[in-house]
Short mmCIF file of all heavy atoms in Angstrom, two decimals:
data_model
loop_
_atom_site.label_atom_id
_atom_site.label_comp_id
_atom_site.label_asym_id
_atom_site.label_seq_id
_atom_site.Cartn_x
_atom_site.Cartn_y
_atom_site.Cartn_z
N LEU P 1136 9.50 55.10 62.24
CA LEU P 1136 10.72 54.33 62.14
C LEU P 1136 11.05 54.05 60.65
O LEU P 1136 12.24 54.15 60.27
CB LEU P 1136 10.58 52.97 62.87
CG LEU P 1136 11.81 52.11 62.96
CD1 LEU P 1136 12.95 52.84 63.60
CD2 LEU P 1136 11.55 50.82 63.67
N ASP P 1137 10.06 53.74 59.84
CA ASP P 1137 10.31 53.47 58.39
C ASP P 1137 10.83 54.76 57.72
O ASP P 1137 11.74 54.69 56.87
CB ASP P 1137 9.03 53.03 57.72
CG ASP P 1137 8.60 51.60 58.13
OD1 ASP P 1137 9.46 50.87 58.63
OD2 ASP P 1137 7.43 51.25 57.93
N TYR P 1138 10.26 55.90 58.05
CA TYR P 1138 10.72 57.15 57.49
C TYR P 1138 12.17 57.44 57.86
O TYR P 1138 12.97 57.88 57.03
CB TYR P 1138 9.82 58.31 57.98
CG TYR P 1138 10.22 59.68 57.50
CD1 TYR P 1138 9.91 60.13 56.23
CD2 TYR P 1138 10.94 60.51 58.38
CE1 TYR P 1138 10.30 61.37 55.81
CE2 TYR P 1138 11.35 61.74 57.95
CZ TYR P 1138 11.01 62.19 56.67
OH TYR P 1138 11.42 63.45 56.27
N PHE P 1139 12.51 57.20 59.14
CA PHE P 1139 13.84 57.47 59.61
C PHE P 1139 14.89 56.56 58.91
O PHE P 1139 15.95 56.95 58.46
CB PHE P 1139 13.94 57.26 61.13
CG PHE P 1139 15.30 57.48 61.73
CD1 PHE P 1139 15.88 58.76 61.81
CD2 PHE P 1139 16.04 56.39 62.17
CE1 PHE P 1139 17.14 58.90 62.33
CE2 PHE P 1139 17.34 56.57 62.70
CZ PHE P 1139 17.86 57.84 62.78
N GLU P 1140 14.54 55.25 58.77
CA GLU P 1140 15.44 54.32 58.17
C GLU P 1140 15.63 54.64 56.67
O GLU P 1140 16.74 54.52 56.15
CB GLU P 1140 14.87 52.86 58.32
CG GLU P 1140 15.00 52.41 59.75
CD GLU P 1140 14.47 50.97 59.93
OE1 GLU P 1140 13.80 50.48 58.99
OE2 GLU P 1140 14.71 50.38 61.02
N GLU P 1141 14.58 55.05 56.04
CA GLU P 1141 14.70 55.43 54.61
C GLU P 1141 15.54 56.64 54.48
O GLU P 1141 16.35 56.78 53.51
CB GLU P 1141 13.30 55.68 54.04
CG GLU P 1141 13.32 56.04 52.54
CD GLU P 1141 11.91 56.25 52.00
OE1 GLU P 1141 10.93 56.02 52.74
OE2 GLU P 1141 11.81 56.63 50.80
N ALA P 1142 15.49 57.60 55.40
CA ALA P 1142 16.24 58.83 55.35
C ALA P 1142 17.75 58.56 55.47
O ALA P 1142 18.58 59.23 54.85
CB ALA P 1142 15.79 59.81 56.38
N ILE P 1143 18.12 57.57 56.28
CA ILE P 1143 19.53 57.26 56.48
C ILE P 1143 20.04 56.12 55.61
O ILE P 1143 21.18 55.70 55.71
CB ILE P 1143 19.82 56.97 57.96
CG1 ILE P 1143 19.11 55.69 58.42
CG2 ILE P 1143 19.46 58.15 58.86
CD1 ILE P 1143 19.50 55.26 59.85
N GLY P 1144 19.09 55.57 54.80
CA GLY P 1144 19.48 54.48 53.89
C GLY P 1144 19.70 53.15 54.56
O GLY P 1144 20.49 52.33 54.08
N PHE P 1145 19.05 52.91 55.64
CA PHE P 1145 19.22 51.62 56.37
C PHE P 1145 18.31 50.55 55.77
O PHE P 1145 17.14 50.77 55.51
CB PHE P 1145 18.91 51.79 57.83
CG PHE P 1145 18.95 50.54 58.62
CD1 PHE P 1145 20.18 49.99 58.96
CD2 PHE P 1145 17.79 49.86 59.06
CE1 PHE P 1145 20.23 48.79 59.70
CE2 PHE P 1145 17.85 48.69 59.74
CZ PHE P 1145 19.05 48.15 60.08
N ARG P 1146 18.88 49.35 55.55
CA ARG P 1146 18.11 48.19 55.02
C ARG P 1146 18.31 47.02 55.97
O ARG P 1146 19.40 46.43 56.00
CB ARG P 1146 18.61 47.86 53.59
CG ARG P 1146 18.33 48.92 52.52
CD ARG P 1146 16.84 49.08 52.25
NE ARG P 1146 16.62 50.08 51.22
CZ ARG P 1146 16.43 51.39 51.43
NH1 ARG P 1146 16.50 51.82 52.71
NH2 ARG P 1146 16.21 52.21 50.48
N PRO P 1147 17.29 46.69 56.72
CA PRO P 1147 17.42 45.57 57.67
C PRO P 1147 17.59 44.24 56.91
O PRO P 1147 16.98 44.01 55.83
CB PRO P 1147 16.12 45.59 58.46
CG PRO P 1147 15.15 46.27 57.58
CD PRO P 1147 15.96 47.32 56.78
N GLY P 1148 18.38 43.36 57.48
CA GLY P 1148 18.59 42.04 56.92
C GLY P 1148 17.44 41.12 57.13
O GLY P 1148 16.43 41.46 57.82
N LEU P 1149 17.51 39.88 56.64
CA LEU P 1149 16.45 38.95 56.76
C LEU P 1149 16.09 38.57 58.22
O LEU P 1149 14.93 38.62 58.62
CB LEU P 1149 16.79 37.62 56.00
CG LEU P 1149 15.74 36.48 56.09
CD1 LEU P 1149 14.46 36.94 55.51
CD2 LEU P 1149 16.30 35.27 55.38
N LEU P 1150 17.11 38.33 59.03
CA LEU P 1150 16.87 37.97 60.41
C LEU P 1150 16.21 39.13 61.14
O LEU P 1150 15.33 38.95 61.98
CB LEU P 1150 18.17 37.55 61.12
CG LEU P 1150 18.78 36.24 60.64
CD1 LEU P 1150 20.07 35.98 61.37
CD2 LEU P 1150 17.80 35.07 60.85
N GLU P 1151 16.65 40.35 60.89
CA GLU P 1151 16.05 41.53 61.54
C GLU P 1151 14.62 41.71 61.13
O GLU P 1151 13.77 42.05 61.94
CB GLU P 1151 16.88 42.81 61.19
CG GLU P 1151 16.30 44.08 61.75
CD GLU P 1151 16.24 44.11 63.27
OE1 GLU P 1151 16.94 43.32 63.91
OE2 GLU P 1151 15.49 44.96 63.80
N ARG P 1152 14.29 41.44 59.82
CA ARG P 1152 12.92 41.56 59.37
C ARG P 1152 12.03 40.50 60.05
O ARG P 1152 10.90 40.80 60.44
CB ARG P 1152 12.88 41.44 57.85
CG ARG P 1152 13.48 42.62 57.10
CD ARG P 1152 13.00 42.69 55.65
NE ARG P 1152 13.34 41.50 54.90
CZ ARG P 1152 14.46 41.29 54.23
NH1 ARG P 1152 15.36 42.27 54.25
NH2 ARG P 1152 14.69 40.20 53.55
N ILE P 1153 12.61 39.30 60.20
CA ILE P 1153 11.80 38.22 60.90
C ILE P 1153 11.59 38.66 62.37
O ILE P 1153 10.50 38.49 62.90
CB ILE P 1153 12.59 36.89 60.81
CG1 ILE P 1153 12.60 36.44 59.39
CG2 ILE P 1153 11.89 35.85 61.70
CD1 ILE P 1153 13.44 35.19 59.17
N ARG P 1154 12.64 39.12 62.99
CA ARG P 1154 12.49 39.54 64.42
C ARG P 1154 11.46 40.67 64.56
O ARG P 1154 10.61 40.58 65.48
CB ARG P 1154 13.85 40.04 64.94
CG ARG P 1154 13.94 40.28 66.44
CD ARG P 1154 15.17 41.00 66.85
NE ARG P 1154 15.06 42.42 66.45
CZ ARG P 1154 14.43 43.38 67.13
NH1 ARG P 1154 13.84 43.08 68.28
NH2 ARG P 1154 14.41 44.59 66.67
N ARG P 1155 11.47 41.59 63.64
CA ARG P 1155 10.50 42.71 63.74
C ARG P 1155 9.07 42.21 63.50
O ARG P 1155 8.14 42.64 64.19
CB ARG P 1155 10.85 43.77 62.72
CG ARG P 1155 12.06 44.58 63.03
CD ARG P 1155 12.28 45.68 62.03
NE ARG P 1155 13.45 46.47 62.31
CZ ARG P 1155 13.82 47.57 61.63
NH1 ARG P 1155 13.02 48.00 60.64
NH2 ARG P 1155 14.90 48.26 61.96
N TRP P 1156 8.93 41.26 62.57
CA TRP P 1156 7.59 40.74 62.32
C TRP P 1156 7.05 40.01 63.53
O TRP P 1156 5.87 40.13 63.90
CB TRP P 1156 7.62 39.76 61.12
CG TRP P 1156 6.28 39.29 60.70
CD1 TRP P 1156 5.43 39.89 59.79
CD2 TRP P 1156 5.54 38.20 61.24
NE1 TRP P 1156 4.26 39.20 59.68
CE2 TRP P 1156 4.28 38.15 60.57
CE3 TRP P 1156 5.81 37.23 62.22
CZ2 TRP P 1156 3.31 37.15 60.85
CZ3 TRP P 1156 4.85 36.25 62.46
CH2 TRP P 1156 3.63 36.25 61.78
N ILE P 1157 7.93 39.26 64.18
CA ILE P 1157 7.49 38.49 65.36
C ILE P 1157 7.06 39.48 66.52
O ILE P 1157 5.98 39.30 67.12
CB ILE P 1157 8.65 37.61 65.93
CG1 ILE P 1157 8.89 36.47 64.97
CG2 ILE P 1157 8.35 37.08 67.32
CD1 ILE P 1157 10.08 35.60 65.29
N PHE P 1158 7.82 40.56 66.72
CA PHE P 1158 7.44 41.48 67.75
C PHE P 1158 6.25 42.36 67.40
O PHE P 1158 5.49 42.71 68.25
CB PHE P 1158 8.66 42.39 68.13
CG PHE P 1158 9.61 41.79 69.07
CD1 PHE P 1158 10.74 41.09 68.58
CD2 PHE P 1158 9.40 41.88 70.42
CE1 PHE P 1158 11.62 40.53 69.50
CE2 PHE P 1158 10.28 41.30 71.33
CZ PHE P 1158 11.41 40.62 70.86
N GLU P 1159 6.05 42.65 66.07
CA GLU P 1159 4.91 43.39 65.66
C GLU P 1159 3.65 42.53 65.74
O GLU P 1159 2.51 43.08 65.81
CB GLU P 1159 5.06 43.87 64.25
CG GLU P 1159 6.11 44.99 64.11
CD GLU P 1159 6.42 45.34 62.67
OE1 GLU P 1159 5.82 44.78 61.77
OE2 GLU P 1159 7.31 46.18 62.43
N HIS P 1160 3.76 41.23 65.70
CA HIS P 1160 2.63 40.29 65.79
C HIS P 1160 2.80 39.41 67.02
O HIS P 1160 2.52 38.20 67.00
CB HIS P 1160 2.49 39.51 64.51
CG HIS P 1160 2.34 40.30 63.29
ND1 HIS P 1160 3.40 40.81 62.59
CD2 HIS P 1160 1.25 40.70 62.58
CE1 HIS P 1160 2.98 41.50 61.55
NE2 HIS P 1160 1.67 41.45 61.53
N SER P 1161 3.27 39.98 68.12
CA SER P 1161 3.66 39.17 69.31
C SER P 1161 2.51 38.41 69.86
O SER P 1161 2.61 37.27 70.28
CB SER P 1161 4.27 40.07 70.35
OG SER P 1161 3.41 41.16 70.65
N THR P 1162 1.27 39.09 69.91
CA THR P 1162 0.13 38.36 70.48
C THR P 1162 -0.26 37.16 69.62
O THR P 1162 -0.55 36.08 70.15
CB THR P 1162 -1.08 39.34 70.59
OG1 THR P 1162 -0.70 40.43 71.42
CG2 THR P 1162 -2.28 38.65 71.18
N LEU P 1163 -0.25 37.33 68.30
CA LEU P 1163 -0.56 36.24 67.39
C LEU P 1163 0.44 35.10 67.55
O LEU P 1163 0.03 33.94 67.65
CB LEU P 1163 -0.58 36.74 65.92
CG LEU P 1163 -0.74 35.66 64.85
CD1 LEU P 1163 -2.08 35.00 64.97
CD2 LEU P 1163 -0.57 36.31 63.46
N VAL P 1164 1.74 35.44 67.57
CA VAL P 1164 2.75 34.40 67.72
C VAL P 1164 2.62 33.68 69.01
O VAL P 1164 2.67 32.46 69.11
CB VAL P 1164 4.13 35.05 67.61
CG1 VAL P 1164 5.23 34.06 67.93
CG2 VAL P 1164 4.36 35.63 66.20
N TYR P 1165 2.40 34.43 70.10
CA TYR P 1165 2.34 33.82 71.47
C TYR P 1165 1.11 32.91 71.59
O TYR P 1165 1.26 31.75 71.97
CB TYR P 1165 2.22 34.95 72.48
CG TYR P 1165 2.22 34.51 73.93
CD1 TYR P 1165 3.34 33.91 74.49
CD2 TYR P 1165 1.11 34.65 74.71
CE1 TYR P 1165 3.34 33.52 75.82
CE2 TYR P 1165 1.10 34.29 76.05
CZ TYR P 1165 2.22 33.70 76.58
OH TYR P 1165 2.20 33.31 77.90
N LEU P 1166 -0.06 33.34 71.23
CA LEU P 1166 -1.29 32.56 71.44
C LEU P 1166 -1.33 31.42 70.46
O LEU P 1166 -1.79 30.33 70.79
CB LEU P 1166 -2.50 33.48 71.28
CG LEU P 1166 -2.69 34.56 72.35
CD1 LEU P 1166 -3.96 35.33 72.15
CD2 LEU P 1166 -2.61 33.96 73.75
N SER P 1167 -0.88 31.59 69.21
CA SER P 1167 -0.90 30.52 68.29
C SER P 1167 0.09 29.42 68.68
O SER P 1167 -0.14 28.21 68.48
CB SER P 1167 -0.55 30.99 66.87
OG SER P 1167 0.74 31.59 66.80
N SER P 1168 1.27 29.81 69.28
CA SER P 1168 2.21 28.81 69.78
C SER P 1168 1.63 28.00 70.90
O SER P 1168 1.76 26.75 70.94
CB SER P 1168 3.48 29.53 70.25
OG SER P 1168 4.11 30.23 69.17
N ILE P 1169 0.94 28.67 71.82
CA ILE P 1169 0.30 27.97 72.93
C ILE P 1169 -0.76 27.03 72.42
O ILE P 1169 -0.86 25.87 72.84
CB ILE P 1169 -0.31 28.98 73.94
CG1 ILE P 1169 0.86 29.68 74.66
CG2 ILE P 1169 -1.21 28.30 74.95
CD1 ILE P 1169 0.35 30.79 75.58
N SER P 1170 -1.59 27.48 71.47
CA SER P 1170 -2.64 26.64 70.89
C SER P 1170 -2.04 25.40 70.23
O SER P 1170 -2.55 24.30 70.36
CB SER P 1170 -3.48 27.45 69.94
OG SER P 1170 -4.06 28.55 70.55
N SER P 1171 -1.00 25.61 69.45
CA SER P 1171 -0.38 24.52 68.72
C SER P 1171 0.20 23.47 69.67
O SER P 1171 -0.03 22.25 69.45
CB SER P 1171 0.73 25.06 67.78
OG SER P 1171 0.22 25.97 66.84
N VAL P 1172 0.88 23.91 70.72
CA VAL P 1172 1.46 22.93 71.66
C VAL P 1172 0.37 22.22 72.44
O VAL P 1172 0.46 21.04 72.67
CB VAL P 1172 2.43 23.65 72.64
CG1 VAL P 1172 2.97 22.70 73.68
CG2 VAL P 1172 3.59 24.28 71.86
N THR P 1173 -0.70 22.94 72.79
CA THR P 1173 -1.82 22.32 73.47
C THR P 1173 -2.46 21.22 72.60
O THR P 1173 -2.71 20.11 73.10
CB THR P 1173 -2.90 23.41 73.79
OG1 THR P 1173 -2.32 24.39 74.61
CG2 THR P 1173 -4.05 22.73 74.49
N LEU P 1174 -2.65 21.52 71.37
CA LEU P 1174 -3.24 20.49 70.43
C LEU P 1174 -2.29 19.31 70.30
O LEU P 1174 -2.74 18.18 70.22
CB LEU P 1174 -3.53 21.15 69.09
CG LEU P 1174 -4.68 22.18 69.08
CD1 LEU P 1174 -4.81 22.82 67.70
CD2 LEU P 1174 -6.01 21.51 69.47
N LEU P 1175 -0.97 19.58 70.22
CA LEU P 1175 -0.02 18.50 70.12
C LEU P 1175 -0.06 17.58 71.34
O LEU P 1175 -0.05 16.38 71.17
CB LEU P 1175 1.38 19.08 69.88
CG LEU P 1175 2.54 18.07 69.81
CD1 LEU P 1175 2.32 17.18 68.58
CD2 LEU P 1175 3.86 18.80 69.70
N VAL P 1176 -0.07 18.17 72.49
CA VAL P 1176 -0.10 17.38 73.71
C VAL P 1176 -1.40 16.56 73.82
O VAL P 1176 -1.37 15.36 74.17
CB VAL P 1176 0.05 18.28 74.95
CG1 VAL P 1176 -0.16 17.46 76.25
CG2 VAL P 1176 1.42 18.95 74.95
N LEU P 1177 -2.50 17.17 73.42
CA LEU P 1177 -3.78 16.48 73.43
C LEU P 1177 -3.77 15.31 72.43
O LEU P 1177 -4.29 14.21 72.65
CB LEU P 1177 -4.94 17.41 73.11
CG LEU P 1177 -5.61 18.15 74.29
CD1 LEU P 1177 -6.70 19.09 73.78
CD2 LEU P 1177 -6.14 17.18 75.29
N ALA P 1178 -3.19 15.58 71.24
CA ALA P 1178 -3.10 14.54 70.23
C ALA P 1178 -2.30 13.33 70.71
O ALA P 1178 -2.70 12.18 70.48
CB ALA P 1178 -2.50 15.11 68.94
N ILE P 1179 -1.18 13.61 71.40
CA ILE P 1179 -0.37 12.50 71.94
C ILE P 1179 -1.16 11.73 72.94
O ILE P 1179 -1.15 10.49 72.97
CB ILE P 1179 0.94 13.08 72.55
CG1 ILE P 1179 1.81 13.68 71.46
CG2 ILE P 1179 1.68 12.01 73.33
CD1 ILE P 1179 3.03 14.45 72.03
#
């Protein structure tokens, strides 16, 4: 995908880069979110 985008001169914007990072690290985002909310509820 990086090679193709470079060939056509495509530059993703900030929001697109954030979206891609989230999907590329979906497991980390998902499990860390669950852990954070769990700790928050326990703290309350």
Side-chain angles (χ1 to χ4, degrees):
L1136 185 59
D1137 289 342
Y1138 176 82
F1139 178 72
E1140 290 180 347
E1141 183 178 354
I1143 64 174
F1145 176 75
R1146 295 293 182 268
L1149 177 61
L1150 292 179
E1151 176 63 18
R1152 291 199 300 272
I1153 294 175
R1154 189 193 72 84
R1155 289 185 181 184
W1156 187 91
I1157 290 174
F1158 277 94
E1159 289 172 4
H1160 302 84
S1161 54
T1162 301
L1163 174 64
V1164 172
Y1165 183 68
L1166 296 183
S1167 61
S1168 299
I1169 291 174
S1170 300
S1171 299
V1172 176
T1173 300
L1174 292 175
L1175 178 61
V1176 174
L1177 272 179
I1179 294 173

